């Protein structure tokens, strides 16, 4: 039995680990921005625990979804729920405030991700 990560089209294990690590770092930075926006001065080490949680879910869903919209949506919901649970556990806040921080984390991640992708797309399409 061959899993999607084991096929040659998926890339090497080092490429997959690098993708996960860079996405986890990105989500850790945006988690810190969101928590700092809502709570004020917070330790950055908490964000480095929050970031890998949705990154792991994202890598797993991207690996096994196979273009299924229902699985992609369910993966997004699971990532948001686990992100909120990690925020609630690490920052010791109420469920309502943790949900608010999770929404801010999602919004900051989408906005910053769109900006970074746009910059990379422009740089990649530059002549010369």
């Amino acid at each position: 039995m061959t899993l999607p990560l084991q096929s040659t089209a998926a890339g090497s294990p080092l490429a997959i680990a690098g993708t996960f690590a860079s996405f986890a770092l990105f989500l850790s930075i945006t988690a810190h921005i969101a928590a700092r926006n809502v709570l004020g001065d917070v330790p950055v080490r908490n964000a480095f625990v929050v970031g890998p949680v949705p990154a792991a879910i994202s890598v797993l869903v991207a690996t096994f979804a196979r273009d299924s919209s229902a699985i992609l949506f369910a993966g997004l919901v699971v990532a948001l729920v686990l992100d909120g649970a990690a925020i609630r556990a690490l920052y010791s806040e109420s469920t309502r405030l943790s949900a608010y921080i999770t929404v801010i984390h999602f919004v900051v991640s989408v906005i910053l991700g769109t900006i970074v992708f746009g910059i990379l797309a422009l740089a990649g399409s530059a002549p010369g």
Side-chain angles (χ1 to χ4, degrees), residues 57 61-62 65 67-81 106:
I57 300 299
V61 168
D67 299 327
S68 171
S69 297
I71 294 175
L72 292 174
F73 182 73
L76 175 64
V77 171
V78 168
L80 286 172
V81 167
F106 178 76

Side-chain angles (χ1 to χ4, degrees), residues 84 87-88 94-105:
I87 288 171
R88 185 171 196 275
S94 67
T95 304
R96 186 176 177 142
L97 188 58
S98 297
Y100 180 64
I101 296 169
T102 303
V103 169
I104 298 298
H105 182 207

Side-chain angles (χ1 to χ4, degrees), residues 2-93:
T2 301
L3 295 174
L5 283 177
Q6 295 173 333
S7 69
T8 57
S12 70
L14 184 60
I16 294 166
T19 300
F20 168 75
S22 61
F23 192 45
L25 177 65
F26 173 78
L27 289 176
S28 295
I29 291 168
T30 57
H32 183 66
I33 291 170
R36 191 173 172 112
N37 182 36
V38 176
L39 301 174
D41 194 24
V42 293
V44 71
R45 69 180 176 273
N46 290 348
F48 285 109
V49 177
V50 173
V53 174
I57 300 299
S58 175
V59 169
L60 288 173
V61 168
T63 301
F64 296 110
R66 297 290 182 189
D67 299 327
S68 171
S69 297
I71 294 175
L72 292 174
F73 182 73
L76 175 64
V77 171
V78 168
L80 286 172
V81 167
L82 291 178
D83 190 32
I87 288 171
R88 185 171 196 275
L90 289 166
Y91 293 104
S92 302
E93 298 296 335

